[in-house]
Amino acid sequence: MQDEQQYNQLMLLYQQLKNGAEDIAGMIDSDDYDSAISMLKNREQLYISCKCIRNYLELTPVQTQEVDKIVDEIRELELKNIKKLEKGMEEVQMELAKMQRTQKLQQAYESDIDSAGSIVNVQE
């Protein structure tokens, strides 16, 4: 009886992790990275709880199959989130490099104009 309750608790925790991964995906899509990061930090304790319960719980083959299925779903969602973040990082790095080139170009021309004056000298 107690094993059944612990199994139900484990499945509930895994479901919370799955829902959290889906929520994080939505936050990433809406560029709400601060909320996604804080949610990721809070999920660490859930992972630890799941690992502890799973280590000490003797699961039936059917229960093991159900647990493995939800763990695979969570893993899949987490990998999608990681890929989204990596893609976003690449885009930010490309934009940053573009802005740095533009800024470097502007600074080069601004310093030449300020120190050398205009191209046409009207007084001569």
Side-chain angles (χ1 to χ4, degrees):
M1 184 68 172
Q2 188 172 356
D3 282 351
E4 185 68 28
Q5 289 175 340
Q6 288 179 336
Y7 169 74
N8 290 334
Q9 182 183 4
L10 178 65
M11 291 302 290
L12 178 67
L13 291 173
Y14 277 132
Q15 190 62 44
Q16 288 176 347
L17 287 170
K18 182 180 173 185
N19 293 341
E22 292 169 348
D23 291 343
I24 290 170
M27 291 174 196
I28 292 170
D29 289 340
S30 64
D31 295 335
D32 188 7
Y33 299 111
D34 291 334
S35 297
I37 289 172
S38 17
M39 191 165 186
L40 283 169
K41 289 179 182 177
N42 293 335
R43 292 166 44 113
E44 184 178 351
Q45 189 60 40
L46 282 176
Y47 278 112
I48 293 170
S49 297
C50 289
K51 186 175 180 177
C52 289
I53 293 172
R54 193 158 181 190
N55 284 340
Y56 295 107
L57 186 62
E58 292 182 23
L59 298 172
T60 66
V62 173
Q63 290 173 336
T64 302
Q65 188 177 15
E66 289 176 5
V67 167
D68 289 343
K69 180 182 175 188
I70 197 165
V71 167
D72 289 341
E73 291 173 6
I74 293 168
R75 185 176 294 120
E76 209 173 293
L77 288 168
E78 296 290 354
L79 287 173
K80 286 180 183 178
N81 288 343
I82 289 170
K83 288 179 183 180
K84 283 181 189 179
L85 287 172
E86 287 174 345
K87 183 180 177 187
M89 284 176 46
E90 288 173 6
E91 290 172 1
V92 167
Q93 287 175 343
M94 288 189 319
E95 281 294 317
L96 181 61
K98 182 179 173 183
M99 289 179 67
Q100 287 174 339
R101 285 191 303 267
T102 303
Q103 185 180 14
K104 187 175 181 180
L105 186 64
Q106 287 176 346
Q107 287 176 349
Y109 283 113
E110 285 176 8
S111 64
D112 287 346
I113 291 172
D114 291 341
S115 63
S118 61
I119 297 174
V120 179
N121 192 344
V122 183
Q123 293 182 349
E124 288 186 18

